[in-house]
Amino acid sequence: TAKHRAQLKLPLMSSRHFQGPSGTPLMQKYGCLSQTQNLNLIVPVSRDVDPAFLSCMRMAAADPEMLSRLETRGWFDTWPRTLPIDQRNEQSAAQLAVELLQKVLE
């Protein structure tokens, strides 16, 4: 569309940084995963990174049990804008994003 440059389907389940399928229900609940277990990334015309993409990467890199605790503590209340979980999670989320985008762009 005129508002988007591209829509990519990122193969999240094949990533070595993904914390595993036990986090899948929450990721589906918040729209991070499609029914085919891909992460849908819409690249906007602006140069801003989609906040939902950042939040989904944080979720994918987090321990599934931690996600449940974060949900009860209100971490998702401002979805799709979320705060970093911790420095280790931010690093893992960034590595995951790079890995997934490289696969699609190759």
Side-chain angles (χ1 to χ4, degrees):
T1 69
K3 294 182 181 181
H4 305 106
R5 288 188 183 170
Q7 182 172 355
L8 305 173
K9 294 185 184 307
L10 305 176
L12 184 61
M13 294 301 186
S14 67
S15 170
R16 62 187 170 92
H17 294 286
F18 180 52
Q19 289 295 314
S22 57
T24 300
L26 270 179
M27 293 192 71
Q28 287 175 331
K29 177 179 177 180
Y30 287 94
C32 291
L33 284 179
S34 68
Q35 290 185 354
T36 57
Q37 304 300 304
N38 287 317
L39 176 84
N40 293 319
L41 168 63
I42 296 175
V43 181
V45 173
S46 70
R47 295 180 185 246
D48 297 333
V49 176
D50 179 15
F53 178 70
L54 292 175
S55 295
C56 289
M57 291 297 97
R58 288 173 178 147
M59 288 179 70
D63 176 78
E65 290 179 19
M66 180 186 294
L67 289 177
S68 294
R69 289 192 305 270
L70 289 170
E71 186 175 40
T72 60
R73 294 180 186 159
W75 188 77
F76 295 95
D77 289 351
T78 57
W79 187 265
R81 299 190 186 281
T82 58
L83 296 173
I85 295 171
D86 59 34
Q87 187 174 4
R88 194 176 102 227
N89 175 265
E90 283 296 290
Q91 182 179 8
S92 295
Q95 289 172 336
L96 174 60
V98 167
E99 178 187 338
L100 291 174
L101 289 169
Q102 281 178 336
K103 286 180 183 181
V104 171
L105 298 174
E106 288 179 344

